[in-house]
Protein backbone atom coordinates (compact mmCIF):
# COMPACT_ATOMS: atom_id res chain seq x y z
CA UNK A 1 0.00 0.00 0.00
CA UNK A 2 2.92 2.35 0.63
CA UNK A 3 6.67 2.67 0.53
CA UNK A 4 8.44 4.94 2.98
CA UNK A 5 11.59 6.89 2.38
CA UNK A 6 13.96 8.25 4.99
CA UNK A 7 14.52 6.88 8.49
CA UNK A 8 11.77 5.86 10.87
CA UNK A 9 11.95 4.38 14.37
CA UNK A 10 11.94 0.78 13.17
CA UNK A 11 15.00 1.50 11.01
CA UNK A 12 17.22 3.66 13.21
CA UNK A 13 16.18 2.36 16.60
CA UNK A 14 12.92 3.13 18.35
CA UNK A 15 14.60 4.16 21.58
CA UNK A 16 16.86 6.74 19.93
CA UNK A 17 13.93 8.20 17.99
CA UNK A 18 11.80 8.40 21.13
CA UNK A 19 14.54 10.19 23.05
CA UNK A 20 15.03 12.64 20.19
CA UNK A 21 11.35 13.57 20.14
CA UNK A 22 11.13 13.76 23.92
CA UNK A 23 14.06 16.17 23.84
CA UNK A 24 12.11 18.44 21.48
CA UNK A 25 8.83 18.37 23.44
CA UNK A 26 8.16 21.20 25.87
CA UNK A 27 5.78 21.29 28.87
CA UNK A 28 3.38 23.34 26.71
CA UNK A 29 3.04 20.60 24.06
CA UNK A 30 -0.06 18.46 24.51
CA UNK A 31 -2.33 15.86 22.92
CA UNK A 32 -6.06 15.30 23.43
CA UNK A 33 -7.08 12.52 25.76
CA UNK A 34 -9.00 10.64 23.05
CA UNK A 35 -5.70 9.59 21.49
CA UNK A 36 -4.36 8.24 24.78
CA UNK A 37 -7.59 6.33 25.31
CA UNK A 38 -7.42 4.88 21.80
CA UNK A 39 -3.98 3.39 22.44
CA UNK A 40 -5.04 1.90 25.77
CA UNK A 41 -8.16 0.36 24.23
CA UNK A 42 -6.01 -1.43 21.66
CA UNK A 43 -3.97 -2.88 24.53
CA UNK A 44 -7.07 -3.81 26.55
CA UNK A 45 -8.43 -5.68 23.52
CA UNK A 46 -5.43 -8.01 23.70
CA UNK A 47 -6.54 -9.25 27.10
CA UNK A 48 -2.95 -9.05 28.37
CA UNK A 49 -3.26 -7.38 31.76
CA UNK A 50 0.50 -7.14 32.25
CA UNK A 51 0.89 -5.18 29.00
CA UNK A 52 -1.99 -2.87 29.92
CA UNK A 53 -0.51 -2.18 33.34
CA UNK A 54 2.88 -1.49 31.77
CA UNK A 55 1.30 1.12 29.47
CA UNK A 56 -0.62 2.68 32.37
CA UNK A 57 2.60 2.91 34.37
CA UNK A 58 4.42 4.57 31.47
CA UNK A 59 1.82 7.29 30.90
CA UNK A 60 0.97 7.78 34.57
CA UNK A 61 -2.81 7.38 34.44
CA UNK A 62 -5.51 4.91 33.48
CA UNK A 63 -8.36 7.17 32.35
CA UNK A 64 -8.42 10.17 30.03
CA UNK A 65 -11.09 12.74 29.21
CA UNK A 66 -11.40 12.87 25.41
CA UNK A 67 -11.00 16.62 24.92
CA UNK A 68 -8.68 17.37 27.83
CA UNK A 69 -5.06 18.03 26.86
CA UNK A 70 -2.30 15.87 28.34
CA UNK A 71 1.49 16.14 27.89
CA UNK A 72 2.84 15.16 24.49
CA UNK A 73 5.79 13.49 26.22
CA UNK A 74 3.39 11.12 28.00
CA UNK A 75 1.70 10.23 24.72
CA UNK A 76 5.04 9.54 23.06
CA UNK A 77 6.06 7.18 25.85
CA UNK A 78 2.68 5.45 25.76
CA UNK A 79 2.53 4.99 21.99
CA UNK A 80 6.14 3.79 21.76
CA UNK A 81 5.57 1.29 24.57
CA UNK A 82 2.37 0.01 22.95
CA UNK A 83 4.00 -0.30 19.53
CA UNK A 84 6.88 -2.30 20.97
CA UNK A 85 4.43 -4.64 22.72
CA UNK A 86 2.29 -4.97 19.57
CA UNK A 87 5.17 -5.22 17.11
CA UNK A 88 5.18 -8.97 16.52
CA UNK A 89 1.46 -9.00 15.80
CA UNK A 90 1.78 -6.36 13.09
CA UNK A 91 5.08 -7.37 11.54
CA UNK A 92 7.26 -4.71 13.14
CA UNK A 93 7.30 -1.49 15.12
CA UNK A 94 6.18 0.64 12.16
CA UNK A 95 3.32 -1.75 11.40
CA UNK A 96 2.14 -1.48 14.99
CA UNK A 97 2.32 2.33 14.82
CA UNK A 98 0.21 2.29 11.67
CA UNK A 99 -2.35 0.14 13.45
CA UNK A 100 -2.46 2.60 16.36
CA UNK A 101 -2.97 5.48 13.93
CA UNK A 102 -5.78 3.63 12.17
CA UNK A 103 -7.47 2.96 15.49
CA UNK A 104 -7.24 6.64 16.46
CA UNK A 105 -9.09 7.65 13.29
CA UNK A 106 -11.78 4.99 13.51
CA UNK A 107 -12.36 5.73 17.21
CA UNK A 108 -12.78 9.41 16.47
CA UNK A 109 -15.33 8.81 13.71
CA UNK A 110 -17.21 6.41 15.98
CA UNK A 111 -17.47 9.05 18.72
CA UNK A 112 -20.37 11.41 19.33
CA UNK A 113 -18.32 14.18 17.72
CA UNK A 114 -17.11 12.13 14.78
CA UNK A 115 -20.34 10.38 13.73
CA UNK A 116 -22.01 13.55 12.37
CA UNK A 117 -18.80 14.39 10.51
CA UNK A 118 -18.69 10.92 8.98
CA UNK A 119 -22.21 11.45 7.65
CA UNK A 120 -21.41 14.93 6.41
CA UNK A 121 -18.17 13.88 4.70
CA UNK A 122 -19.34 10.56 3.24
CA UNK A 123 -18.10 10.31 -0.33
CA UNK A 124 -16.29 13.66 0.01
CA UNK A 125 -12.55 13.02 0.49
CA UNK A 126 -11.73 16.56 -0.61
CA UNK A 127 -13.90 18.03 2.15
CA UNK A 128 -12.27 15.65 4.62
CA UNK A 129 -8.76 16.76 3.71
CA UNK A 130 -9.72 20.43 3.54
CA UNK A 131 -10.86 20.10 7.16
CA UNK A 132 -7.53 18.62 8.32
CA UNK A 133 -5.83 21.91 9.30
CA UNK A 134 -8.66 22.73 11.70
CA UNK A 135 -8.76 19.17 13.05
CA UNK A 136 -4.99 19.16 13.54
CA UNK A 137 -5.12 22.41 15.50
CA UNK A 138 -7.90 21.02 17.71
CA UNK A 139 -6.15 17.69 18.34
CA UNK A 140 -2.99 19.13 19.85
CA UNK A 141 -1.47 22.27 21.31
CA UNK A 142 2.01 22.04 19.84
CA UNK A 143 1.96 25.26 17.87
CA UNK A 144 2.28 23.16 14.73
CA UNK A 145 0.79 23.62 11.31
CA UNK A 146 -1.03 21.43 8.82
CA UNK A 147 -1.14 22.48 5.16
CA UNK A 148 -3.09 20.66 2.44
CA UNK A 149 -2.14 21.21 -1.21
CA UNK A 150 -4.19 19.75 -4.06
CA UNK A 151 -2.38 18.59 -7.18
CA UNK A 152 -5.31 17.08 -9.09
CA UNK A 153 -8.50 15.16 -8.45
CA UNK A 154 -7.73 12.10 -6.35
CA UNK A 155 -4.38 13.32 -5.05
CA UNK A 156 -3.24 15.73 -2.35
CA UNK A 157 -0.16 16.59 -0.32
CA UNK A 158 -0.40 17.04 3.45
CA UNK A 159 2.49 18.83 5.15
CA UNK A 160 2.83 18.77 8.94
CA UNK A 161 5.13 21.11 10.86
CA UNK A 162 6.08 20.58 14.50
CA UNK A 163 4.39 17.20 14.61
CA UNK A 164 5.69 14.75 17.19
CA UNK A 165 4.01 11.59 15.91
CA UNK A 166 5.99 9.07 13.86
CA UNK A 167 5.11 9.00 10.18
CA UNK A 168 3.78 5.45 10.38
CA UNK A 169 1.15 6.54 12.94
CA UNK A 170 0.05 9.48 10.78
CA UNK A 171 -0.07 7.29 7.67
CA UNK A 172 -2.36 4.85 9.41
CA UNK A 173 -4.61 7.66 10.62
CA UNK A 174 -4.86 9.26 7.16
CA UNK A 175 -5.61 5.98 5.40
CA UNK A 176 -8.32 5.07 7.92
CA UNK A 177 -9.92 8.53 7.69
CA UNK A 178 -10.16 8.25 3.90
CA UNK A 179 -11.62 4.76 4.18
CA UNK A 180 -14.22 5.94 6.70
CA UNK A 181 -15.58 8.50 4.21
CA UNK A 182 -15.80 5.86 1.49
CA UNK A 183 -12.47 6.02 -0.38
CA UNK A 184 -11.36 2.66 -1.74
CA UNK A 185 -7.73 1.61 -1.47
CA UNK A 186 -6.19 4.95 -0.48
CA UNK A 187 -2.41 5.14 -0.79
CA UNK A 188 0.06 7.18 1.26
CA UNK A 189 3.73 7.96 0.67
CA UNK A 190 5.68 10.03 3.15
CA UNK A 191 9.06 11.62 3.67
CA UNK A 192 10.88 13.56 6.36
CA UNK A 193 11.42 17.30 5.83
CA UNK A 194 12.96 18.18 9.20
CA UNK A 195 13.18 17.11 12.86
CA UNK A 196 9.40 17.54 13.37
CA UNK A 197 8.29 18.12 9.77
CA UNK A 198 6.99 15.58 7.28
CA UNK A 199 4.87 15.49 4.16
CA UNK A 200 2.38 12.88 3.01
CA UNK A 201 1.24 12.29 -0.55
CA UNK A 202 -2.26 10.81 -0.62
CA UNK A 203 -3.88 9.30 -3.68
CA UNK A 204 -6.86 7.14 -4.53
CA UNK A 205 -8.66 5.85 -7.59
Amino acid sequence: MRRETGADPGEVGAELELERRLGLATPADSVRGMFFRSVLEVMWALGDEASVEHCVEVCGRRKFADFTCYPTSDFLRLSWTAARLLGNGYGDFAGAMRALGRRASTDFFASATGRPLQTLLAGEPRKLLDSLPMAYAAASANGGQCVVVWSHSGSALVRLERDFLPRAYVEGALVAALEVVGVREPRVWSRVLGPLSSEYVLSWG
Side-chain angles (χ1 to χ4, degrees):
M1 180 171 62
R2 43 168 294 286
R3 180 63 267 167
E4 292 185 18
T5 59
D8 262 354
E11 300 165 358
V12 302
E15 293 303 322
L16 291 176
E17 183 65 13
L18 173 59
E19 290 305 315
R20 185 182 71 81
R21 291 174 186 262
L22 287 173
L24 294 170
T26 73
D29 295 317
S30 63
V31 176
R32 298 289 181 184
M34 68 177 72
F35 299 105
F36 286 83
R37 182 174 55 78
S38 178
V39 173
L40 288 176
E41 287 182 352
V42 171
M43 303 309 297
W44 284 322
L46 292 177
D48 183 345
E49 187 62 26
S51 293
V52 172
E53 290 304 317
H54 185 34
C55 287
V56 168
E57 180 181 356
V58 164
C59 66
R61 52 176 59 85
R62 185 179 298 273
K63 293 184 178 181
F64 297 86
D66 280 357
F67 292 99
T68 298
C69 286
Y70 300 90
T72 290
S73 57
D74 288 350
F75 183 75
L76 291 173
R77 293 187 182 95
L78 172 62
S79 57
W80 250 258
T81 298
R84 285 195 298 268
L85 292 169
L86 294 168
N88 290 338
Y90 292 93
D92 56 15
F93 180 90
M97 274 293 186
R98 274 183 220 103
L100 292 175
R102 290 183 64 90
R103 178 62 183 262
S105 273
T106 55
D107 280 358
F108 171 74
F109 281 106
S111 71
T113 300
R115 283 194 300 271
L117 285 176
Q118 182 177 351
T119 301
L120 179 66
L121 298 172
E124 298 283 356
R126 183 169 188 123
K127 287 184 179 179
L128 168 70
L129 295 177
D130 283 343
S131 71
L132 276 183
M134 182 175 62
Y136 180 77
S140 65
N142 298 324
Q145 185 179 21
C146 173
V147 176
V148 178
V149 179
W150 289 93
S151 53
H152 55 78
S153 178
S155 179
L157 183 146
V158 176
R159 183 177 295 117
L160 298 182
E161 302 285 347
R162 192 165 175 73
D163 183 63
F164 287 89
L165 297 173
R167 286 185 292 138
Y169 183 101
V170 177
E171 288 172 0
L174 289 172
V175 166
L178 287 168
E179 290 174 343
V180 163
V181 300
V183 172
R184 293 185 178 181
E185 298 184 358
R187 299 171 295 280
V188 181
W189 293 267
S190 68
R191 70 185 182 106
V192 172
L193 300 177
L196 294 175
S197 302
S198 301
E199 66 179 13
Y200 304 81
V201 177
L202 286 67
S203 63
W204 55 91

